[in-house]
Amino acid sequence: MRNTGSADPQSSRANTPSQMPTSSSKYYHPYFSPAEIQYLSEKQRGKQTATQEEKVRQNACTFLETIGARIGFPRRTIATAEVLYHRFHLFFPRKDFQYHDVALAALYVSTKEHDTLKKPRELLAASYAIRYPDRAAKSKNPGGEIDLDTMDQTVVESDRQRLLAIERLILETICFNFTARMAFPYVIKIGKERRANKKVIKLAWRIAIDCYRTILPLLYPPHTLAIGSLYVASLLLSFEQPQVSDYDENGNVSPAVLAQQFSTPSKWKDTYRLQLGDVDDFAHTMLDLFVQFSQNPSANTSPSTPSSPSPNLPARDRHNLQALQPQSPYKSDQLIRMKIALREHEDALNGHRREQKLLSSDPSALYNNDKIGQNEGTVRFLFFPPDNKGNMA
């Protein structure tokens, strides 16, 4: 017989307001400070070294580049997927996820952002052709895609469910904000404003593509990435090169003049609302990337042209992860000399490097990421961060 004489204390406590699911807010942070990036990366890296982390990051980007080329995604879709991948591992440990699972989920979210949507099974089919080249070689499809009906359906469904689960986590890290502004249009616009020639703009476009393989898009807005790309392009085309006229027959400035403009404090930095140190940081990060690839030709950077890669890859390159990228035309010793020259120039200008100060003792506390992906209470996802006083800006 049920005892109704006294209430169960456990049940009573479960119904008290203090035990009810709470509500909370998560704020979208479009950019992070260098110190925050360093802190969060070290936190999620675990026992991995920075070199190992960078290797996995580049493998994931190459994986995304290859799938993008195979399917024929526009450059904006691939670049956004790379940014989503980098952002994800500021919140989640690398040891808990395979890079190809996160990369594929990031690509799926990016296709939604840019209205280039593909079904999860289509993305999986393209990824299997890259991950399992032996099976792809036996495929009867002209593009080398693996027919999912020939695979173990349990494995396919498990991978699909994993993709959808990680997709949800990615959506929470961006607070469901589908706004994506890319650097590529700014490269052309600002390049024309600064009277750069076509060769500089074309190379800057490729450098802008490569910058999405780094964490730079999490540090700086698109127009800063574009100016940094133009600066690095002008450096590469002028450093230790024969001196040429300051202006060509079309009235465009030479790469040397453009590099001098971007490395000297003047009104242009106020026009574009950026700091000279931001451009310097961009240049050193990209040169480090180029040094890495020049010393390790098996790792690769951007496509050989500044346009989105063709979906119709040559048969000999069909299953090659490195088919998209050429060998680096720059030698590591030349790039290192360029970095040294840049440092000396910065020191001569009394140092314009960005100060790296923590905004708090624990930057991750600002983002309240401990419960991301959990069903606990009501969560409001807001598209803008709170101000320094904890209020909505």
Side-chain angles (χ1 to χ4, degrees), residues 263-274:
S263 62
T264 305
S266 61
K267 293 182 179 179
W268 71 266
K269 68 184 186 67
D270 296 326
T271 301
Y272 298 113
R273 296 186 179 183
L274 52 77

Side-chain angles (χ1 to χ4, degrees), residues 155-173:
V155 173
V156 174
E157 180 59 21
S158 174
D159 289 345
R160 191 183 75 87
Q161 292 295 335
R162 187 181 303 110
L163 185 156
L164 295 177
I166 298 177
E167 178 210 9
R168 176 190 170 183
L169 301 180
I170 292 175
L171 289 173
E172 293 192 21
T173 63

Side-chain angles (χ1 to χ4, degrees), residues 15 25 30 47 62 69 80 111 127 153-154 190 238 253 275 317 319 327 338 373 381 388:
N15 293 326
S25 298
K47 296 182 179 179
T62 300
T80 299
T111 63
S127 71
Q153 294 305 300
T154 303
I190 296 176
S238 63
V253 300
Q275 299 296 321
D317 295 332
H319 311 301
Q327 299 297 324
M338 189 183 300
F381 294 94
N388 293 335

Side-chain angles (χ1 to χ4, degrees), residues 37-310:
I37 290 285
Q38 180 179 358
Y39 179 90
L40 295 173
S41 296
E42 291 177 353
K43 181 177 180 180
Q44 306 305 342
R45 184 188 305 149
K47 296 182 179 179
Q48 284 186 345
T49 64
T51 301
Q52 291 172 328
E53 179 187 42
E54 178 63 19
K55 182 178 180 180
V56 174
R57 179 185 292 121
Q58 296 307 319
N59 286 342
C61 290
T62 300
F63 183 68
L64 287 168
E65 294 273 359
T66 310
I67 294 180
R70 181 176 292 275
I71 296 179
F73 283 133
R75 174 51 53 186
R76 64 182 184 275
T77 300
I78 300 172
T80 299
E82 291 172 331
V83 177
L84 292 173
Y85 174 84
H86 302 325
R87 177 181 288 272
F88 179 86
H89 280 301
L90 296 182
F91 294 88
F92 295 98
R94 291 185 177 274
K95 65 180 179 61
D96 293 345
F97 301 88
Q98 296 292 328
Y99 76 80
H100 49 76
D101 291 333
V102 178
L104 206 60
L107 185 59
Y108 184 47
V109 174
S110 181
T111 63
K112 293 183 176 182
E113 286 195 30
H114 295 288
D115 199 21
T116 54
L117 187 61
K118 292 289 183 180
K119 295 180 180 179
R121 287 177 64 89
E122 294 177 281
L123 296 178
L124 287 171
S127 71
Y128 289 154
I130 298 168
R131 293 171 56 191
Y132 309 117
D134 294 339
R135 289 193 178 187
K138 300 176 183 178
S139 173
K140 297 181 180 179
N141 294 325
E145 290 85 1
I146 295 178
D147 187 352
L148 295 186
D149 293 335
T150 63
M151 296 192 62
D152 185 341
Q153 294 305 300
T154 303
V155 173
V156 174
E157 180 59 21
S158 174
D159 289 345
R160 191 183 75 87
Q161 292 295 335
R162 187 181 303 110
L163 185 156
L164 295 177
I166 298 177
E167 178 210 9
R168 176 190 170 183
L169 301 180
I170 292 175
L171 289 173
E172 293 192 21
T173 63
I174 62 173
C175 292
F176 296 87
N177 187 343
F178 282 85
T179 302
R181 295 168 57 231
M182 312 307 296
F184 310 119
Y186 293 94
V187 170
I188 298 175
K189 182 177 181 179
I190 296 176
K192 290 181 177 179
E193 287 180 354
R194 306 308 301 177
R195 298 166 66 186
N197 61 41
K198 290 183 178 180
K199 188 174 182 180
V200 171
I201 294 176
K202 183 177 180 179
L203 180 57
W205 183 287
R206 286 187 55 196
I207 293 171
I209 290 174
D210 283 340
C211 83
Y212 284 91
R213 300 178 71 106
T214 72
I215 48 83
L216 287 170
L218 296 178
L219 289 167
Y220 304 114
H223 73 281
T224 303
L225 302 180
I227 291 176
S229 299
L230 289 164
Y231 178 44
V232 174
S234 62
L235 286 173
L236 292 174
L237 292 174
S238 63
F239 184 72
E240 297 182 349
Q241 297 297 319
Q243 188 173 0
V244 297
S245 174
D246 289 349
Y247 297 90
D248 62 17
E249 61 276 9
N250 297 320
N252 297 319
V253 300
S254 68
V257 171
L258 191 64
Q260 181 66 25
Q261 291 177 357
F262 284 133
S263 62
T264 305
S266 61
K267 293 182 179 179
W268 71 266
K269 68 184 186 67
D270 296 326
T271 301
Y272 298 113
R273 296 186 179 183
L274 52 77
Q275 299 296 321
L276 195 59
D278 298 343
V279 180
D280 291 333
D281 286 344
F282 181 98
H284 283 291
T285 300
M286 294 309 299
L287 290 177
D288 287 339
L289 182 69
F290 296 153
V291 168
Q292 174 186 344
F293 288 122
S294 64
Q295 293 176 341
N296 180 19
S298 63
N300 301 285
T301 51
S302 66
S304 57
T305 64
S307 60
S308 296
S310 169

